[in-house]
């Protein structure tokens, strides 16, 4: 039964209250004009058609039109210029999804069943680096935001208890100040007192009473100058313990989910790439196991970009990059310690291992 039937029925004519919730998700896709269509395995005249609902580094959720065929053509048109509309219909015990792309195009997909694929995955090794500086915090903001978004869309079914301990950090503006993309995140996430209290509790748990006190003050008085002050203080080596504790919670929550499985060929390639990184770093004098290695005052953390298991762009492949920290004093190391501001600290992203090893040897 569709929970939000009264709200959604206007976005997908033909929708019925007693339909499975997957039809409600289909209506939401038309509500927000985010319809995409991907052809699955071809079985002669019939095939499965995939419609993404939410796909990110922590979750793959999409709808499948089973045993389907299409009359007309799906065109890759800008949905702002060509607003998309959907309608359900039936004929001879077959279901149909009729889709209009503005006034330019109409096509119909006949199908036997609409099902939903829903799977959470590990995300703690993910590293996307679009903005330079404070990459250790930007990586965490990306992970926390990814968790927050899957909870927004799918609720308790998509999140474990560990994730609920930290996901409201994204509602704390000084934390998300370190946006992983080249634009602010304030329009994407709300700013709440609960977000500030979440940071205060985590700072107290990490033994960082100074930052906890300021986060508590921000919960009462969310002023602009205080936001910037709290954001800048995250760059201080004094926040190393807080950073490591938050990352530890993210990692522990992520590990409760399975890894993505791509099949024997790609899984084998990924394993060989990880093994090659391990062997080459050990030959270069590093100690440790994948993905964290150290040599004297240098730490290298391997981070990964993963394709989706389905509907991924053909040119997107598995990739390993490296968060490199160098601290003049070994006691300052810690995880990604070189990325924090301070004399004798240096942090950067290595794109290729051979280039990185040459740099370190020089």
């Amino acid at each position: 039964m569709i929970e939000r039937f009264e709200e959604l029925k206007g976005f997908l004519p033909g929708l019925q209250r007693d339909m499975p919730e997957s039809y409600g998700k289909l209506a939401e896709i038309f509500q927000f004009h985010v319809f995409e269509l991907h052809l699955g395995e071809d079985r002669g005249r019939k095939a499965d058609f995939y419609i993404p609902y939410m796909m990110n580094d922590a979750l793959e959720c999409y709808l499948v039109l089973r045993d389907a065929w299409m009359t007309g053509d799906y065109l890759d048109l800008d949905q702002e210029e060509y607003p998309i509309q959907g309608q359900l219909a039936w004929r001879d015990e077959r279901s149909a999804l009729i889709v209009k792309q503005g006034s330019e195009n109409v096509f119909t997909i006949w199908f036997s069943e609409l099902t939903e694929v829903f799977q959470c995955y590990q995300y703690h090794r993910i590293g996307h680096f679009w903005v330079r500086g404070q990459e250790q915090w930007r990586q965490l903001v990306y992970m926390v935001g990814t968790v927050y978004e899957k909870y927004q869309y799918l609720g308790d079914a998509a999140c474990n208890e560990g994730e609920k301990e930290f996901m409201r950090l994204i509602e704390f503006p000084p934390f998300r100040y370190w946006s992983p993309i080249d634009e602010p995140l304030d329009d994407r996430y709300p700013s709440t007192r609960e977000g500030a209290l979440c940071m205060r509790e985590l700072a107290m748990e990490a033994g960082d009473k100074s930052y906890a006190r300021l986060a508590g003050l921000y919960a009462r008085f969310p002023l602009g100058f205080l936001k910037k002050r709290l954001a800048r203080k995250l760059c201080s080596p004094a926040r190393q313990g807080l950073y490591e504790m938050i990352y530890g919670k993210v990692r522990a929550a992520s590990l409760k989910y399975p890894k993505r499985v791509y099949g024997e060929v790609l899984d084998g390639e990924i394993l060989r790439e990880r093994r090659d990184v391990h062997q080459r770093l050990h030959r270069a004098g590093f100690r440790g196991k994948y993905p964290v290695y150290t040599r004297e005052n240098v730490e290298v953390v391997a981070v990964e970009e993963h394709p989706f298991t389905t509907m991924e762009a053909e040119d997107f492949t598995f990739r390993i990059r490296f968060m490199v920290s160098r601290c003049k004093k070994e006691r300052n190391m810690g995880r990604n310690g070189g990325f924090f501001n301070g004399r004798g600290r240096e942090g950067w992203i290595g794109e290729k291992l051979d280039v990185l090893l040459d740099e370190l040897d020089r």
Side-chain angles (χ1 to χ4, degrees):
M1 180 175 289
I2 298 172
E3 290 184 8
R4 297 168 52 224
F5 173 74
E6 292 298 329
E7 177 185 350
L8 294 173
K9 64 181 181 181
F11 299 104
L12 185 62
L15 192 69
Q16 298 174 15
R17 188 186 300 274
D18 60 353
M19 285 178 165
E21 191 60 40
S22 55
Y23 282 88
K25 288 184 172 62
L26 181 60
E28 285 183 55
I29 288 168
F30 287 103
Q31 177 184 8
F32 295 107
H33 303 288
V34 291
F35 179 88
E36 294 180 26
L37 188 65
H38 297 261
L39 178 63
E41 182 181 353
D42 194 351
R43 299 191 300 276
R45 186 187 176 198
K46 294 182 180 180
D48 289 341
F49 287 84
Y50 301 143
I51 303 171
Y53 177 74
M54 184 179 186
M55 307 282 285
N56 66 25
D57 280 314
L59 171 73
E60 292 183 20
C61 180
Y62 55 93
L63 306 178
V64 184
L65 299 169
R66 301 287 184 190
D67 299 324
W69 73 89
M70 183 190 299
T71 58
D73 296 298
Y74 169 59
L75 304 180
D76 187 14
L77 300 176
D78 183 342
Q79 295 194 26
E80 289 189 6
E81 187 174 354
Y82 303 96
I84 200 158
Q85 295 176 294
Q87 179 178 342
L88 294 171
W90 294 265
R91 188 178 70 188
D92 299 332
E93 298 184 355
R94 295 290 299 185
S95 301
L97 175 63
I98 304 166
V99 180
K100 297 179 181 180
Q101 295 182 277
S103 59
E104 301 296 313
N105 188 50
V106 179
F107 62 91
T108 302
I109 305 172
W110 296 93
F111 62 96
S112 64
E113 183 183 12
L114 176 66
T115 62
E116 177 184 341
V117 176
F118 174 97
Q119 180 60 61
C120 294
Y121 293 103
Q122 293 182 9
Y123 49 85
H124 64 283
R125 288 182 177 174
I126 297 297
H128 301 290
F129 302 105
W130 299 294
V131 184
R132 293 187 63 182
Q134 296 300 312
E135 285 91 343
Q136 83 284 21
W137 283 114
R138 297 185 196 277
Q139 182 192 31
L140 267 186
V141 171
Y142 178 83
M143 292 177 183
V144 174
T146 298
V147 169
Y148 187 88
E149 287 174 1
K150 70 175 182 173
Y151 184 81
Q152 275 189 312
Y153 277 84
L154 296 160
D156 290 335
C159 286
N160 59 47
E161 291 304 313
E163 289 171 321
K164 293 175 186 177
E165 289 185 31
F166 62 76
M167 69 179 185
R168 300 201 73 166
L169 279 178
I170 205 70
E171 298 176 359
F172 181 54
F175 174 71
R176 67 168 185 260
Y177 178 89
W178 300 105
S179 170
I181 58 177
D182 198 16
E183 60 184 57
L185 298 178
D186 289 342
D187 291 338
R188 186 173 297 190
Y189 304 106
S191 300
T192 68
R193 182 173 183 271
E194 288 74 18
L197 295 177
C198 178
M199 176 59 88
R200 186 189 70 176
E201 293 304 312
L202 290 170
M204 287 294 292
E205 187 176 342
D208 192 341
K209 294 181 181 179
S210 172
Y211 201 80
R213 183 166 55 252
L214 282 175
L217 182 63
Y218 186 85
R220 297 173 59 197
F221 307 105
L223 303 174
F225 81 91
L226 193 53
K227 166 188 169 180
K228 292 181 179 178
R229 184 180 178 189
L230 281 158
R232 287 195 299 267
K233 280 185 171 292
L234 288 176
C235 307
S236 166
R239 306 284 89 76
Q240 177 83 39
L242 174 60
Y243 164 77
E244 291 184 358
M245 193 202 69
I246 295 173
Y247 176 78
K249 287 182 177 292
V250 169
R251 179 179 181 275
S254 168
L255 282 170
K256 296 184 183 298
Y257 300 115
K259 302 174 183 177
R260 280 183 165 90
V261 176
Y262 301 99
E264 185 176 349
V265 174
L266 183 52
D267 286 345
E269 291 178 6
I270 291 172
L271 183 59
R272 283 191 292 273
E273 287 194 44
R274 290 171 176 165
R275 186 181 295 127
D276 180 64
V277 167
H278 177 82
Q279 292 173 348
R280 292 175 66 187
L281 284 170
H282 271 252
R283 285 198 298 268
F286 283 83
R287 304 183 306 275
K289 58 183 181 179
Y290 193 89
V292 182
Y293 301 87
T294 58
R295 186 182 72 183
E296 297 176 346
N297 64 333
V298 177
E299 178 197 62
V300 174
V301 180
V303 294
E304 302 174 346
E305 292 183 357
H306 288 252
F308 297 137
T309 60
T310 187
M311 292 184 286
E312 185 55 81
E314 292 183 3
D315 60 347
F316 189 93
T317 59
F318 175 81
R319 181 184 185 189
I320 299 176
R321 289 195 284 179
F322 307 92
M323 300 182 74
V324 188
S325 288
R326 181 156 50 196
C327 296
K328 189 173 182 179
K329 298 179 181 179
E330 287 190 46
R331 68 172 183 270
N332 291 338
M333 290 289 290
R335 184 182 180 89
N336 292 322
F339 287 88
F340 291 88
N341 294 343
R343 182 178 298 178
R345 294 175 182 263
E346 184 181 10
W348 72 95
I349 303 301
E351 299 288 337
K352 295 183 178 180
L353 186 57
D354 52 354
V355 175
L356 169 60
L357 292 175
D358 287 344
E359 289 176 349
L360 292 174
D361 288 340
R362 288 198 300 269

